[in-house]
Amino acid sequence: MKRGAVVPIVIVVGVVAVLAIGGLLIHHAESGIDMVALASTPKPVTVVEAQRTTFRESRTYIGTLKPWIEAQVGPQFISAYVDTVLVRPGAVVRRGEVLATLDCRNASASSQAVAAEARAIDARQRALGDESARLKTMLDGGFVSPNESEQKESQSAAELAQLASQRAKMVGTNLEVSDCILRAPFDGEIATRSIDPGAFVRPGTALVAVVDRTTVRMTFDVPEDDFGMVGPGTPLTVRILATGETFPGTVSRRSPSADPDTRTVHCEVDIPDGKRHIPVNTTGEVRVEVGAARPATVIPLDAASISGARAVLFVVADGKAHQATYPVQGELGGSLFLDPSLAAGTPVVTEGRAILADGDAVTAKQVPFTAGSSTAPRKEPGP
């Protein structure tokens, strides 16, 4: 065969081989493609069974746990250097116990000077009083003039008035001296210590704070619309955020007037705390039940989209997801309480709702769900 005829044959054979290999590759690629539409395949979702329960409407308020009595102890009349501070936070003190002392040498010296001057005035007044009495006895014999007698009597009265003034001044200096020894005003505990020895303090400066925790006051404010729900004696539950404890109580007192700026009503709950284990000036939560308990169906809160008073969710029936809407009665924690028209035991979609449309086929994986009544008592221990 001639060389010129071989070249076209080789080219033709190469082209055929390339086309054959390409056809084989295309067939292999197409054989791995799933020709079934994704929209027609069941979508994996997680479901829980709706449960029958009861629901009771409630109100929750945030407030502050305060001590029954609290005092900021410091000087009220005198400015001086702090000599000693004898207590630290956490110390238990008795009424009248010395908490701190001030360096009051100047006040003490002034008090002694005022006392000495008062004694001197008292002595002069006594002498003038006696002299005035003697002059009065000599008036009848004409030995002294009435003017002289009146002058002595007026001098005695002036000295008596000056003595009263000095005694009043002595009371003030004694108060300053007494202010140098700071004592506990009642039985309690030291909450804070703000000043150390060597500091200079003025009237009104607090050195330590004393609190009485034998009774703790839970204070909270409610909107004016809830005035009738928090009358004295209303039962409630108090949760202490610092310790996690929850226990029952009642409204001890309620203000008869709302705050003119915030339009809220002040309420208080007295909590006996003989062991003094509740930290004060911390946050507390009050929950008040309103109305009567009524039947409801409960599902997880994340299983529905809530709009106003209605919840939109997906239920599973015959292998398909169906969108449904139910009235909302309320929510508590991670639970959503719906109208009992949602039957108990109905599978409700929790995970996978975002990819669903009404009527989609699904493969459901059921997970456990436990929810109690909204009126069930708490299990946390009380004080």
Side-chain angles (χ1 to χ4, degrees):
M1 183 180 294
K2 295 183 179 180
R3 181 179 179 85
V6 174
V7 174
I9 294 173
V10 172
I11 293 174
V12 171
V13 171
V15 171
V16 171
V18 169
L19 292 175
I21 294 172
L24 290 174
L25 292 174
I26 292 174
H27 175 72
H28 177 73
E30 291 180 349
S31 64
I33 298 177
D34 187 359
M35 304 305 293
V36 180
L38 290 176
S40 63
T41 60
K43 298 177 180 179
V45 295
T46 301
V47 299
V48 299
E49 288 188 354
Q51 299 180 11
R52 184 72 72 221
T53 184
T54 57
F55 176 77
R56 187 179 182 186
E57 189 177 357
S58 64
R59 298 285 191 275
T60 301
Y61 310 104
I62 303 298
T64 303
L65 294 156
K66 295 185 177 181
W68 183 249
I69 310 174
E70 182 174 9
Q72 303 290 332
V73 181
Q76 301 301 312
F77 305 104
I78 192 170
S79 298
Y81 285 98
V82 178
D83 192 10
T84 60
V85 181
L86 306 177
V87 292
R88 289 195 174 275
V92 178
V93 297
R94 296 293 182 182
R95 180 176 181 178
E97 183 177 339
V98 177
L99 305 179
T101 60
L102 306 180
D103 184 3
C104 293
R105 289 172 291 182
N106 183 53
S108 179
S110 299
S111 177
Q112 293 175 3
V114 171
E117 188 173 352
R119 289 193 298 270
I121 294 174
D122 182 52
R124 290 199 302 270
Q125 192 275 331
R126 288 176 182 274
L128 289 173
D130 293 341
E131 186 176 359
S132 175
R134 288 195 300 271
L135 290 178
K136 285 183 179 179
T137 61
M138 300 173 66
L139 284 174
D140 295 337
F143 296 102
V144 294
S145 66
N147 182 58
E148 187 178 358
S149 176
E150 291 174 359
Q151 287 290 338
K152 289 297 180 182
E153 186 175 359
S154 65
Q155 290 178 9
S156 176
E159 289 291 336
L160 185 61
Q162 189 175 359
L163 177 61
S165 174
Q166 201 68 14
R167 285 176 175 171
K169 185 178 179 181
M170 186 168 59
V171 171
T173 57
N174 288 338
L175 286 176
E176 291 183 355
V177 173
S178 300
D179 206 27
C180 297
I181 301 177
L182 305 178
R183 301 179 183 272
F186 48 80
D187 295 348
E189 301 165 275
I190 302 301
T192 59
R193 168 174 163 161
S194 307
I195 301 295
D196 289 327
F200 187 80
V201 293
R202 294 177 173 82
T205 303
L207 276 71
V208 295
V210 184
V211 296
D212 178 7
R213 292 192 298 163
T214 52
T215 299
V216 175
R217 292 183 300 118
M218 173 67 188
T219 63
F220 60 98
D221 297 327
V222 305
E224 58 183 346
D225 294 345
D226 293 349
F227 180 83
M229 302 178 186
V230 290
T234 301
L236 46 78
T237 56
V238 178
R239 185 165 74 95
I240 302 172
L241 271 61
T243 63
E245 293 176 295
T246 301
F247 48 88
T250 58
V251 177
S252 301
R253 58 195 65 87
R254 177 193 62 187
S255 173
S257 172
D259 185 282
D261 296 325
T262 62
R263 293 296 191 271
T264 56
V265 180
H266 183 77
C267 302
E268 295 184 355
V269 178
D270 293 343
I271 306 172
D273 185 22
K275 296 181 179 179
R276 297 197 297 265
H277 78 290
I278 299 176
V280 293
N281 293 319
T282 57
T283 304
E285 181 183 271
V286 172
R287 183 166 175 249
V288 181
E289 304 291 349
V290 180
R294 56 185 185 271
T297 301
V298 61
I299 63 173
L301 185 60
D302 58 0
S305 298
I306 303 174
S307 177
R310 308 192 72 81
V312 179
L313 50 91
F314 283 95
V315 298
V316 177
D318 300 326
K320 293 186 177 180
H322 302 280
Q323 184 173 309
T325 303
Y326 294 93
V328 175
Q329 291 192 4
E331 59 183 78
L332 177 64
S335 299
L336 178 64
F337 296 85
L338 303 177
D339 188 84
S341 57
L342 174 61
T346 302
V348 178
V349 177
T350 55
E351 296 182 4
R353 292 190 307 112
I355 61 173
L356 291 180
D358 190 22
D360 284 350
V362 296
T363 56
K365 176 185 177 183
Q366 185 170 333
V367 295
F369 169 59
T370 302
S373 167
S374 70
T375 59
R378 301 292 183 92
K379 301 300 183 182
E380 292 93 336

